[in-house]
Amino acid sequence: MNEQRRMQYLDAMGIDMFVPRFVLAGAALSSQCELPVAKQAAAPAVAKGVASVLDGIGDDIGGAIGGSVGSTAAANEPAQERTSRAPLGLVSEPEKSKPQKSASSTVSSILADLQAKTVVKPSAKFFLQLWRVHADLLVVDSRKPGQALPTDTLLTNILKACGQLPQSLPRAEKLQWPMVDDATKDHSWTAAQEMVQSFLEGRLLSNPVKHILLFGDDAIRAVLGGDAEQPKAPQQCFHRPADAFACEAYCMPSLGEILLQPLLKRPVWHLLLEAFPSQP
């Protein structure tokens, strides 16, 4: 095969061609590679046969494509005719066509199975303050770390207006999630709810309350559990029973949100009148 035809074949197969133009100064001399077939006795005959076969191929790609189509048609003919023409001793059982999956489809199916089995739990992060105001009332507020707002003063005024604070506001208990000494890696809302509810059960099991005031999304979700969340509109307040503690829960925006948005005081006041109807 001459050099021009070889270049045409390489170009048709999509192989990048490289032709040296000059020898660099100081470079080692090129040596001709010895073909493995040259060591065999029939190497010249084999090389001559390969050359004749290559020369017999058509000058254009259409001839090669026609040959491949012919071979495909021969592969699709009935197995009985192929076995009848096979040499003696090489006759095998009729071949059964088996669909084969490509590597990309196999990898895609494996990744889909892994994604279906992997459940990503959203992590929780909050800071709560709790006040046991009196025997029948517990208050839980959602706080943001570093937020310097007079929320204690606001809560004192709210409770006094409702007639639920005969004396000064008691000292608050604090709950933080994730916990500082928590060695586990599960920081999901499920684990956070279990921690908060276990904490409240220890406080309320022997000394239950009738009302729980929940201020803020984090307090609502952590105490009530499940998917309980404050409605999207912050002006909306709602009431629902807290079955886990056998009491009534009243859900409102956080004290910090009320300070930043004074218009929230009106719906909060209406909900508090529903919780304590005997008060003016």
Side-chain angles (χ1 to χ4, degrees), residues 23 160-161 188 208:
V23 180
K160 284 183 178 180
S188 62

Side-chain angles (χ1 to χ4, degrees), residues 205-224:
L205 184 61
S206 58
N207 192 10
V209 296
K210 295 181 180 180
H211 307 283
I212 298 181
L213 302 183
L214 300 175
F215 291 92
D217 296 342
D218 294 338
I220 295 170
R221 189 172 183 180
V223 174
L224 297 183

Side-chain angles (χ1 to χ4, degrees), residues 20 181 243 278:
D181 56 349
D243 298 331
S278 60

Side-chain angles (χ1 to χ4, degrees), residues 1 42 80 93 102 108 114 132-133 141 203 217 222 236 258:
M1 179 186 298
Q80 185 176 1
E93 297 180 358
S102 62
S108 301
L114 291 177
R132 182 65 182 261
V133 180
D141 179 38
R203 298 293 191 278
D217 296 342
Q236 296 182 6
I258 297 174

